[in-house]
Amino acid sequence: MKILVVEDELDMLDNLVRSLEEENYIVESATTFDSASEKIHLYQYDCILLDIGLPDGNGLILLEELKKLDPDQGVIIVSAKNAVDDKVAGLNLGADDYLPKPFHMAELHARVKSVLRRRKFKGNQLVELNNMIVDTDERTVSVEGKQVPLNRKEYDILLYFITNKNRLVSKTALGEHVWGDKIDEADSFDFIYSQIKNLRKKLKEHGTQLEIQAIYGIGYKLIEV
């Protein structure tokens, strides 16, 4: 899962990014209104943590802009401002939650998981597709009760395909979502091919009734078989 943290306090930003990465999220960050606006126009995220007190603009305006681009985008406002008017305005604009500073990271993680379940998996922790079950909290995959041993990237790729089932996923979109900003450092998509090859092999070996279909020159699609 890919998260964008919009926060101008560098110490807080560093703590948030490290804590979320320890939970195996792909995390990108922005410290200004303009940089955050650029990112939401260029990339897709599963959840956005948004500070409304940005140095060059109001985060509520950014939220309004974001919801016009993608009404289903998950957003948690994380702000030192705890005014009722700000909270009501943010929720009315479509934010999923409002978390005033200071807060415990455990509470943040719980709220992020809640938003992801609600936005991506209809509120369910367990996602079932044919004979495969994915536990999105435990990050495990099983087929007919037997666990499929996936590494972190294989799991992230599979989950991205699940949230885009039967849709064509381009290699670029897949790379950006699973590898985040680090995709810019890659000279080719060979690392994606390798991970998908291994994922396909494991799914086939465990008799999964799903297939990652290659669309030559474009990308991939997860289909039922």
Side-chain angles (χ1 to χ4, degrees), residues 9 13 16 20 58 63 93 113 117 153 155 161 192 206 208 218-219:
E9 295 180 24
L13 176 63
L16 286 170
L20 290 166
N58 190 325
L63 174 59
L93 286 171
K113 286 181 179 179
R117 284 196 297 265
K153 290 304 180 187
Y155 174 86
F161 278 129
I192 294 180
H206 286 77
T208 309
I218 303 176

Side-chain angles (χ1 to χ4, degrees), residues 2-225:
K2 185 178 176 183
I3 296 177
L4 174 64
V5 180
V6 182
E7 171 62 64
D8 66 310
E9 295 180 24
L10 297 184
D11 287 342
M12 172 62 76
L13 176 63
D14 184 59
N15 288 335
L16 286 170
V17 170
R18 284 191 292 105
S19 183
L20 290 166
E21 287 180 339
E22 287 173 359
E23 295 293 310
N24 292 314
Y25 295 112
I26 301 299
V27 186
E28 295 183 6
S29 63
T31 57
T32 65
F33 182 100
D34 287 342
S35 61
S37 179
E38 181 180 17
K39 281 184 175 291
I40 66 173
H41 279 84
L42 291 175
Y43 307 113
Q44 290 184 327
Y45 299 92
D46 295 300
C47 184
I48 295 177
L49 305 183
L50 175 63
D51 184 0
I52 60 177
L54 299 172
D56 58 338
N58 190 325
L60 293 176
I61 296 175
L62 187 64
L63 174 59
E64 187 174 15
E65 180 181 331
L66 174 64
K67 286 297 179 176
K68 289 179 181 178
L69 291 170
D70 182 5
D72 294 326
Q73 176 66 68
V75 179
I76 300 175
I77 294 176
V78 178
S79 179
K81 292 185 177 181
N82 196 21
V84 173
D85 289 346
D86 286 329
K87 182 175 182 178
V88 171
L91 295 174
N92 283 339
L93 286 171
D96 294 86
D97 208 341
Y98 188 107
L99 187 60
K101 301 175 186 176
F103 52 83
H104 292 290
M105 289 298 178
E107 181 179 5
L108 174 68
H109 295 322
R111 296 198 187 201
V112 168
K113 286 181 179 179
S114 177
V115 169
L116 293 175
R117 284 196 297 265
R118 186 163 64 250
R119 289 288 181 178
K120 299 295 182 180
F121 308 114
K122 300 180 181 178
N124 299 313
Q125 175 182 337
L126 300 179
V127 180
E128 188 171 352
L129 288 88
N130 293 350
N131 64 340
M132 182 177 72
I133 296 177
V134 179
D135 187 323
T136 58
D137 279 1
E138 298 297 326
R139 292 176 59 88
T140 59
V141 177
S142 60
V143 176
E144 298 176 356
K146 186 175 181 180
Q147 189 162 320
V148 182
L150 302 180
N151 66 34
R152 175 180 172 179
K153 290 304 180 187
E154 291 166 354
Y155 174 86
D156 289 341
I157 290 171
L158 178 60
L159 200 62
Y160 187 62
F161 278 129
I162 289 172
T163 59
N164 291 277
K165 183 184 172 187
N166 294 320
R167 296 178 186 170
L168 177 60
V169 174
S170 72
K171 290 174 287 187
T172 301
L174 178 61
E176 289 173 348
H177 204 84
V178 177
W179 279 267
D181 289 334
K182 294 180 181 178
I183 190 68
D184 295 333
E185 302 170 8
D187 296 326
S188 70
F189 289 102
D190 288 347
F191 59 99
I192 294 180
Y193 301 145
S194 176
Q195 295 285 355
I196 289 182
K197 179 182 178 180
N198 292 335
L199 176 59
R200 278 172 158 170
K201 180 180 179 182
K202 291 178 181 180
L203 294 180
K204 184 176 181 180
E205 288 176 345
H206 286 77
T208 309
Q209 296 170 350
L210 296 164
E211 179 183 330
I212 300 173
Q213 184 181 66
I215 311 299
Y216 183 74
I218 303 176
Y220 303 91
K221 182 188 293 187
L222 182 69
I223 61 173
E224 298 181 10
V225 293

